[in-house]
Amino acid sequence: MKLNFKVLQYFDFILFFCVVALVTFGVLFIYSSGINSEGMNVSTEYIKQIIWGGTGILIMLTLSLLDYRRFARYVPQLFVGACVLLLFTKFFGRYVNGARSWLGFGPFGIQPSEFTKIVFILFLAWYLDRTKKTSDQRRRFIISLGIMFIPMGLILAQPDLGTALVYFPIFLVMTFIAGVPVRYILFIFAGGMLTIVFTVLPIWETQIAHSSVVFIRVLTNLRLRLVLIFATGSICVLSLLGMFFYRHNKYFYWISYGASIVCGALILSYFAGKVLKDYQVMRLIVFIDPYADPRGAGWNIIQSKTAIGSGNLLGRGYLQGTQSHYRFLPEQSTDFIFSILSEELGFVGCMCVFALYFLIFMRTIFIIKNAANTFGLLIASGVLGMFVFHFLVNVGMVMGIMPITGIPLLFLSYGGSSLWTAMMCMGLLMSVSSRKFGF
């Protein structure tokens, strides 16, 4: 695979500037997170981030010079290799933050699930591009689901719920852009949302409301749940039979559509309630009410909101934050890096960071609209889905409007695997952008 230096005249300086600016912000506030209450730096994380950022920029520039279309021939092998690596990590990886999701020796390690996001985007783009002229959209959608569930299931087995969730928005955006019928996409989206609601409601009843709610009793009583599953399943089957005997009656289709969503959500939410770890349940509880456990699981959100609120308009000043320097913020260089930035730079600093992300999102949409082929268009769509999800979930998490999931803020949060993954995605975007002129 050869480098094409002719594309330098079409180099995407907007994306490059935004990435360098965000990485710089990240290094500055990772450094700030290492300052203690006495003004001493007690961490070398910022040095590692500088190294990862510098090497990541080189990787990004190299990928921008490579022709993304040539990756298509290697994508199936890359996908199989990534899944094998995830399986290996499950059994032989090392535990970090309650999940066996890392490979490495001593202080050096990588998180394969991060890099698998790129391989997943490439492989799904390759498959959707190859099947764009098919008339059997149902089969196309089901196979696409299988492509998502394989790495997602392996990551959930580690277990790493936060990283696994990222694959979901990537899948939804790419299948929508690929022209998969909206009713199939909505089926998965509605089923997922309803599963979350059915999982959270019993927790809310027992841990927050502390009283029995009549309509939630269906979810807490196994016998009633089974009755409802049987009822919705029967409605689904009868509707399918109606579709078979009355082929032109669409009412039966939509009845089976809605009944199957409810039935599936009831089944999946039951198993989700059994599979969730205690700390994951507590994250859901404190998302609903942080003061349900203010000195335990709710501490993170309370201190994060305090830090953001204390920043006011212009912030306390760089290196002048108190929440981080007195170690009130947990995981402050990774999950809660935005809290430090908000406290020290205030609303104005937050708006500057938001503007940089907004430029990346808008530039990516422009690349999607002007891509030279479907494969490039779908790659850019997957990257957009990943970046928007990371941004919304992390910023929402530190503000207390989203559950804590451990999803980093790309480019800013400390971590080599996530930073390199984000920069590799940027390199692919630049490659797609520069080749819209046919190089």
Side-chain angles (χ1 to χ4, degrees):
M1 192 176 291
K2 297 181 179 179
L3 299 176
N4 187 352
F5 291 96
K6 291 182 179 180
V7 301
L8 285 175
Q9 59 186 313
Y10 303 110
F11 184 75
D12 203 318
F13 287 99
I14 296 176
L15 284 180
F16 181 77
F17 165 76
C18 291
V19 169
V20 172
L22 287 171
V23 171
T24 302
F25 269 114
V27 171
L28 288 173
F29 287 98
I30 289 169
Y31 176 83
S32 179
S33 73
I35 303 295
N36 64 15
S37 58
E38 298 176 354
M40 303 289 292
N41 191 320
V42 295
S43 171
T44 60
E45 288 181 343
Y46 74 99
I47 297 176
K48 296 178 184 177
Q49 192 76 356
I50 291 172
I51 296 171
W52 289 329
T55 52
I57 288 173
L58 293 177
I59 294 170
M60 178 177 68
L61 293 175
T62 302
L63 282 174
S64 71
L65 296 175
L66 293 172
D67 190 343
Y68 70 93
R69 292 167 293 193
R70 297 183 180 275
F71 285 111
R73 69 181 69 176
Y74 309 110
V75 165
Q77 295 90 333
L78 285 172
F79 185 74
V80 172
C83 291
V84 170
L85 192 60
L86 288 175
L87 189 62
F88 180 85
T89 305
K90 163 62 183 171
F91 292 103
F92 302 103
R94 62 187 186 190
Y95 276 107
V96 177
N97 295 328
R100 195 186 289 274
S101 57
W102 289 82
L103 290 176
F105 301 95
F108 304 100
I110 62 166
Q111 193 172 2
S113 56
E114 288 289 338
F115 298 105
T116 305
K117 295 174 190 174
I118 305 171
V119 179
F120 169 66
I121 290 171
L122 289 171
F123 186 58
L124 186 58
W126 172 82
Y127 172 75
L128 291 172
D129 181 34
R130 288 192 63 189
T131 57
K132 61 186 175 183
K133 294 182 180 179
T134 184
S135 58
D136 192 352
Q137 290 294 332
R138 184 182 300 174
R139 182 173 184 272
R140 187 186 187 211
F141 180 69
I142 292 172
I143 292 176
S144 299
L145 266 180
I147 292 172
M148 177 185 70
F149 281 136
I150 293 171
M152 195 174 178
L154 290 171
I155 294 168
L156 282 172
Q158 291 178 355
D160 187 353
L161 179 62
T163 303
L165 287 175
V166 180
Y167 289 75
F168 193 64
I170 294 172
F171 170 82
L172 292 177
V173 173
M174 291 183 70
T175 50
F176 175 76
I177 296 296
V180 172
V182 175
R183 65 182 183 274
Y184 296 146
I185 299 171
L186 283 177
F187 181 86
I188 297 299
F189 179 77
M193 292 299 101
L194 200 58
T195 299
I196 293 172
V197 171
F198 287 168
T199 303
V200 170
L201 282 177
I203 297 172
W204 173 84
E205 182 191 50
T206 56
Q207 302 292 332
I208 307 297
H210 299 293
S211 62
S212 180
V213 181
V214 175
F215 72 91
I216 299 179
R217 195 176 301 164
V218 175
L219 302 174
T220 56
N221 187 302
L222 180 58
R223 183 174 298 177
L224 291 176
R225 183 191 287 262
L226 289 174
V227 169
L228 192 56
I229 290 172
F230 178 78
T232 52
S234 299
I235 292 171
C236 183
V237 172
L238 291 173
S239 300
L240 291 173
L241 290 173
M243 288 173 55
F244 179 78
F245 290 109
Y246 303 96
R247 295 182 183 276
H248 299 291
N249 195 327
K250 293 184 179 180
Y251 291 111
F252 289 113
Y253 174 84
W254 290 111
I255 291 171
S256 65
Y257 184 91
S260 57
I261 289 175
V262 175
C263 183
L266 286 167
I267 296 171
L268 291 175
S269 62
Y270 173 77
F271 288 107
K274 298 294 184 183
V275 170
L276 285 176
K277 307 292 184 183
D278 290 341
Y279 74 91
Q280 292 171 328
V281 172
M282 285 307 300
R283 284 179 176 181
L284 292 173
I285 293 170
V286 298
F287 163 62
I288 301 169
D289 179 12
Y291 292 94
D293 186 15
R295 293 189 176 275
W299 177 265
N300 299 6
I301 296 177
I302 294 170
Q303 298 305 320
S304 176
K305 291 167 72 174
T306 301
I308 293 171
S310 64
N312 294 315
L313 181 63
L314 298 176
R316 292 178 177 270
Y318 182 58
L319 301 181
Q320 301 303 311
T322 56
Q323 294 297 107
S324 61
H325 295 174
Y326 283 92
R327 294 295 184 267
F328 291 138
L329 284 171
E331 306 294 339
Q332 53 190 26
S333 65
T334 53
D335 298 351
F336 291 89
I337 191 74
F338 187 76
S339 304
I340 303 175
L341 186 149
S342 301
E343 183 181 23
E344 298 187 0
L345 297 189
F347 179 79
V348 173
C350 292
M351 287 301 101
C352 290
V353 171
F354 284 1
L356 291 170
Y357 278 108
F358 182 74
L359 276 174
I360 290 176
F361 299 156
M362 294 308 296
R363 188 63 184 169
T364 306
I365 292 171
F366 176 81
I367 292 170
I368 291 170
K369 293 174 67 175
N370 294 276
N373 54 50
T374 306
F375 184 54
L377 176 150
L378 290 170
I379 290 173
S381 301
V383 172
L384 178 65
M386 183 183 87
F387 272 58
V388 171
F389 184 76
H390 268 270
F391 175 77
L392 292 178
V393 171
N394 183 274
V395 173
M397 176 183 75
V398 300
M399 291 181 176
I401 59 176
M402 296 285 283
I404 295 175
T405 55
I407 291 177
L409 185 57
L410 296 178
F411 301 119
L412 270 75
S413 293
Y414 171 75
S417 295
S418 64
L419 183 59
W420 277 9
T421 298
M423 288 189 153
M424 290 169 74
C425 287
M426 284 293 104
L428 286 172
L429 273 182
M430 291 177 181
S431 178
V432 174
S433 175
S434 60
R435 284 163 180 81
K436 62 177 179 287
F437 298 103
F439 285 98

